[in-house]
Amino acid sequence: MKINRRIIPDSITACNLLCGAVATFLATQNAFMLAFVFILGGAFFDFFDGLSSRLLKVPSKIGVELDSLADDITFGLAPAMMVACYLKPVIGWWSMAALIMAAFSALRLAKFNVDERQTSSFIGLATPANAIFWGGICSMPYAMTAPAWMPWVLLALTFVSCFLLVSEIPFFSLKFHDFTWANNYDKYMFLVGDVVLIAFCITKAALKGHWEFALFAGTAVIVWYVVLNFLINLLKR
């Protein structure tokens, strides 16, 4: 029996959605590290569904819609739920305000689908980057032992995330069309910084025996990405 090749990328996208659903459930159980692992798993599937669609030459309008739905679950609802559940023991029901990230993530994905400017770069922060940033933070037990004002700062940062998601700020992508320095200096600088940050976080985690710090590398990498992007935008003016 001949298998419809369109099933393959759609099945990979469904795996992305399932990872997001599991991550959302784990967040409600306060299993934040494991929830973040499933978000990273969703990012893995998100990369390969588009790649498989291009390799198999089976583009699909349904696939595009399914991909956006899966991304909003994995990179919108799941991290928003993680932050809400992470902060609730400290600031109570005010933490529900973090769920607004799910709505802004949906808006970001809808804008991406209709914005023809975002073929080789991004306008606004990509939802996977936002999810990784918050996944790393929520993997740390910091908010529970931090100063009383720190959880409120984290809650305020969720609104900064919402702004970045739907802003008109250009962000560079990691797609390589060639490997020259002139066309890819931003990507090379980002990757070098990633290696340093990840190595530092993993080394500290191993020395201290606190493996959640290894996952905090995700947050460090996204902070580096945002800072580097702003510096590059300033230099281009």
Side-chain angles (χ1 to χ4, degrees):
M1 183 177 65
K2 188 176 181 180
I3 298 177
N4 188 340
R5 291 183 298 175
R6 289 183 180 178
I7 294 176
I8 297 175
D10 289 349
S11 297
I12 297 174
T13 303
C15 289
N16 172 15
L17 191 152
L18 288 172
C19 282
V22 173
T24 303
F25 172 77
L26 290 171
T28 65
Q29 306 302 306
N30 295 333
F32 301 115
M33 288 181 61
L34 192 54
F36 185 29
V37 170
F38 273 91
I39 287 177
L40 293 176
F44 174 83
F45 289 119
D46 184 49
F47 174 80
F48 281 103
D49 63 357
L51 180 62
S52 64
S53 178
R54 290 189 293 272
L55 290 176
L56 295 173
K57 298 180 181 179
V58 285
S60 167
K61 290 184 178 180
I62 291 179
V64 172
E65 300 301 326
L66 180 61
D67 183 67
S68 294
L69 176 60
D71 285 354
D72 191 40
I73 297 296
T74 304
F75 309 126
L77 178 61
M81 186 65 75
M82 285 181 70
V83 178
C85 295
Y86 183 66
L87 295 179
K88 185 177 181 298
V90 188
I91 63 174
W93 292 106
W94 286 103
S95 66
M96 289 182 63
L99 295 176
I100 196 173
M101 278 200 303
F104 274 83
S105 295
L107 179 58
R108 166 72 179 87
L109 291 162
K111 288 180 63 178
F112 178 80
N113 285 346
V114 300
D115 193 342
E116 296 180 355
R117 298 173 297 169
Q118 302 189 55
T119 55
S120 59
S121 61
F122 299 118
I123 305 296
L125 184 66
T127 53
N130 184 61
I132 291 172
F133 172 81
W134 286 107
I137 288 179
C138 293
S139 295
M140 301 287 289
Y142 183 61
M144 309 311 167
T145 57
W149 49 266
M150 181 57 70
W152 296 102
V153 170
L154 293 178
L155 185 63
L157 276 177
T158 63
F159 292 93
V160 176
S161 290
C162 291
F163 165 75
L164 291 177
L165 285 167
V166 299
S167 70
E168 289 293 305
I169 300 171
F171 283 84
F172 66 87
S173 74
L174 294 179
K175 294 180 180 178
F176 283 87
H177 298 289
D178 59 55
F179 296 99
T180 61
W181 169 260
N183 293 329
N184 299 287
Y185 65 91
D186 47 2
K187 302 175 184 64
Y188 287 125
M189 293 172 65
F190 174 65
L191 292 174
V192 170
D194 288 353
V195 171
V196 174
L197 290 169
I198 293 172
F200 172 78
C201 290
I202 291 177
T203 300
K204 186 167 183 178
L207 292 175
K208 298 291 185 179
H210 297 294
W211 290 104
E212 63 272 11
F213 200 79
L215 293 177
F216 188 74
T219 299
V221 163
I222 300 306
V223 170
W224 165 236
Y225 171 66
V226 173
V227 170
L228 177 62
N229 186 79
F230 273 91
L231 290 175
I232 290 173
N233 287 341
L234 286 174
L235 291 174
K236 287 180 178 178
R237 290 183 177 179

